[in-house]
Amino acid sequence: MTATIAGLDTIKSAVMEALFHILNPQNASWKQRILDEIKDVKERNGDLFAELPQMPVLSAFLLETLRYEPPGSLFNNRAVKDFDLSVHGKKYRIKAGTRIVTSIHGLHQNEENWRKRVGVEMAPLTEFDPNRFLKNADAINNSGCFMPFGKGPRRCPGQGAGLMMTKVFLVAFLNHNPNCRLVLPENLGKDAAWFNLYSRAGYEIVCDDKPEVAS
Ligand code: HEM
């Protein structure tokens, strides 16, 4: 039951938010770079879906999307045994059974933490900028500052499948509709463009110029 539900809403959010950012006119150059990656594979007669892991721009774009708007922005876990938690030099005794709700959204926006632990120059975290993952994916992944799939023994078991499913949708969609456009809602506010699990945000896409369907 958990596996079925866990993998549905998260994928929906990931696809919705990634497509929103790809089609946002502000990110037109990123969209073009992703289309170029698709074109490159097709020109070599490569297998588009087998080569998904070798598309660095698409990967960086998706990771930045999951940083900017983690589909599961709050984790809701429970301590199974007593343990000591150190925070800023203070030690807290956490009792078994205590609920621990982690704000992943907050973690992904914690500028001070990222500067200290990732330790490389990058755009402020309030900005959507896939460059940070294009250049520093390893440093970010090893920093503990980025965890859209959680961490530890209860981390998401569907991480690989989730990334792959989202990429498959994006590449299939863009391959069939390279000229599609986003209709930005009037008075675009956070409510209309924030795609976590509980969001009701939506948008329209116009696909009125369909080129050939690729093999
Ligand atoms: C982009 C897609 C996905 C995201 C962002 C995501 C994120 C997460 C997060 C944040 C958790 C909680 C981790 C924790 O509490 O530490 C989780 C748990 C889980 N996810 Fe995913 N997930 C995704 C896709 C999937 C898929 C495709 C499946 C199944 C095929 C799946 C199955 C699960 C299950 C079963 C758990 C519960 C693990 C446990 O409690 O031990 N997820 N996921």
Side-chain angles (χ1 to χ4, degrees), residues 3 6-7 10-11 14 71 75 77 148-151 154-158 162 165:
T10 47
I11 297 289
F75 295 177
N77 288 335
F149 296 94
K151 229 179 175 60
R154 298 302 295 268
R155 67 179 299 147
C156 175
M165 287 158 79

Side-chain angles (χ1 to χ4, degrees), residues 111-209:
E111 199 73 53
E112 191 188 332
N113 208 20
W114 279 64
R115 301 273 160 222
K116 195 160 66 192
R117 289 168 175 253
V118 180
V120 290
E121 277 304 310
M122 64 175 84
L125 297 172
T126 47
E127 279 176 30
F128 181 88
D129 182 10
N131 271 316
R132 71 183 97 247
F133 283 96
L134 209 46
K135 295 179 183 157
N136 306 305
D138 286 347
I140 294 173
N141 283 324
N142 295 332
S143 68
C145 294
F146 173 67
M147 47 178 93
F149 296 94
K151 229 179 175 60
R154 298 302 295 268
R155 67 179 299 147
C156 175
Q159 173 168 350
L163 287 173
M164 191 52 88
M165 287 158 79
T166 310
K167 285 183 190 176
V168 165
F169 182 94
L170 294 174
V171 165
F173 187 87
L174 291 172
N175 187 34
H176 284 75
N177 306 287
N179 301 321
C180 61
R181 302 183 304 280
L182 183 66
V183 182
L184 280 176
E186 274 178 34
N187 306 323
L188 180 71
K190 276 285 174 221
D191 290 351
W194 201 249
F195 302 101
N196 62 34
L197 287 187
Y198 308 102
S199 131
R200 294 177 176 204
Y203 51 83
E204 286 178 28
I205 296 174
V206 176
C207 303
D208 53 8
D209 177 16

Side-chain angles (χ1 to χ4, degrees), residues 40-56:
D40 178 57
V41 176
K42 282 162 59 179
E43 281 177 357
R44 288 187 282 102
N45 286 326
D47 180 331
L48 208 43
F49 297 110
E51 295 205 27
L52 283 177
Q54 280 88 53
M55 293 187 184

